[in-house]
Amino acid sequence: MSYENILYAVENGVARVTVNRPDKMNALNHLTITELGEAFDAAKADDSVRVLVLTGSGAKAFVAGADIGELLEQAGNAKGATALAAFGQSVFRKLEQLGKPTIAMVNGFALGGGCELALACTLRTASTNAKLGLPETSLGIIPGYGGSQRLARIAGPGVAREWILTGDMFSAEEAHRVGVINRIFSPEELEEGTQKMVKAILAKGPVALRFGMELVLRGWDMDQTAGEALETEYFGQAAETEDMREGMSAFLEKRRPEFKGK
Ligand code: COA
């Protein structure tokens, strides 16, 4: 499949998705969001893909938000704006529910829809020069691609309120401090540091990874007792996998496991 506004490549178990509009700070217009949705579908369906890394082209931006010019055209009334938010949310949900770990490698500005895109990933790495924030209220709007909900769940309601109400840009260090960014690196080390994380994940049992992700994701919307019941259920299912036998045998035999994802 060929894309206009994104790059998509699969190598060694990793799907790499790059938003590719560097002259527009990789801003998300309708076509870009559509193509992202297609790429997420492709990565989900491809059994050779075990991890997805999402980043932005160029040295300045991950994604500097929704395309503001297009936003004014398409979301100039309640009906248009509601449809636009629902469409973006449906695509970002595909990313969140890919069933495989996804990492946003935040290489510069991640603002508005760009920050929301990163929040829909399982994990986030960032370079020390990255700037993150939800500046929508500066434009008289609010986050529309799930950011108000995901930020509150990832970093807590206090942080979500601060980011939404001030519209400030936050440093990667601050985003790391409040738990939005999992790991930070110098710009030169961002790629290598992210790859290290990818490598660690690739060495784990794929079914266990899927169960672990689903537990946290589904547990968000449950009370603790229900979440623990779900954990028990998955724990039981994991015990029936070949991967569990392989993982434990490999430990006892002092060798690396060779997981099959079954
Ligand atoms: N939508 C559309 N175009 C955008 C954009 C966006 N969200 N963000 C940046 N661009 C465009 C600029 O209009 C400019 O285009 P031009 O060269 O045709 O004029 C180009 O990208 C470069 O941006 P510029 O503002 O000149 O770069 P900068 O280094 O001075 O500032 C930012 C970078 C990210 C701080 C600034 O572009 C910005 O504030 N962007 C909007 C962020 C935002 O509010 N996002 C939330 C949207 S809901």
Side-chain angles (χ1 to χ4, degrees):
M1 172 126 22
S2 74
Y3 299 103
E4 226 176 277
N5 288 352
I6 66 166
L7 305 171
Y8 180 78
V10 178
E11 201 180 346
N12 300 326
V14 183
R16 175 86 162 209
V17 181
T18 309
V19 180
N20 189 29
R21 297 180 78 208
D23 54 330
K24 291 287 172 201
M25 297 273 167
N26 302 320
L28 299 174
N29 60 4
H30 190 269
L31 177 62
T32 310
I33 296 180
T34 304
E35 291 185 346
L36 283 172
E38 288 166 6
F40 300 153
D41 285 342
K44 185 169 190 161
D46 184 343
D47 286 339
S48 78
V49 172
R50 302 235 354 250
V51 174
L52 183 147
V53 174
L54 177 62
T55 192
S57 266
K60 285 187 85 171
F62 172 72
V63 168
D67 189 306
I68 298 173
E70 206 189 74
L71 208 58
L72 190 59
E73 270 170 39
Q74 294 185 358
N77 55 57
K79 197 170 163 216
T82 306
L84 186 122
F87 173 62
Q89 285 177 10
S90 71
V91 170
F92 285 28
R93 207 173 299 123
K94 279 178 197 267
L95 176 61
E96 186 175 57
Q97 297 179 0
L98 203 78
K100 307 171 187 190
T102 60
I103 302 176
M105 186 169 79
V106 181
N107 55 317
F109 292 109
L111 303 174
C115 183
E116 295 179 283
L117 188 63
L119 289 168
C121 287
T122 323
L123 298 163
R124 283 153 294 282
T125 59
S127 64
T128 43
N129 65 344
K131 293 258 187 289
L132 297 93
L134 294 173
E136 286 90 345
T137 50
S138 318
L139 301 168
I141 54 171
I142 52 167
Y145 296 154
S148 63
Q149 302 309 299
R150 291 196 180 96
L151 184 57
R153 284 165 164 84
I154 291 168
V159 171
R161 289 189 187 108
E162 181 187 3
W163 284 36
I164 293 167
L165 298 189
T166 66
D168 281 350
M169 280 192 217
F170 296 90
S171 66
E173 282 86 354
E174 173 64 6
H176 181 245
R177 190 186 69 79
V178 298
V180 169
I181 294 297
N182 297 100
R183 294 186 190 176
I184 43 175
F185 304 98
S186 68
E188 303 75 39
E189 288 170 341
L190 176 64
E191 182 70 48
E192 196 189 329
T194 306
Q195 287 310 327
K196 234 182 186 172
M197 202 176 199
V198 167
K199 220 171 150 195
I201 293 170
L202 285 173
K204 306 294 182 285
V207 180
L209 290 175
R210 199 175 72 240
F211 286 168
M213 286 188 306
E214 274 186 33
L215 273 173
V216 177
L217 192 59
R218 292 180 61 189
W220 269 353
D221 296 324
M222 289 178 181
D223 63 43
Q224 186 166 337
T225 310
E228 286 187 19
L230 189 67
E231 189 181 79
T232 312
E233 190 185 317
Y234 280 141
F235 197 80
Q237 285 183 36
E240 302 233 305
T241 61
E242 284 179 32
D243 281 357
M244 187 199 81
R245 255 156 279 285
E246 170 62 12
M248 294 194 178
S249 306
F251 176 80
L252 295 173
E253 292 160 19
K254 302 191 189 307
R255 60 175 175 84
R256 278 176 196 272
E258 286 190 24
F259 293 117
K260 296 203 177 89
K262 289 191 215 159

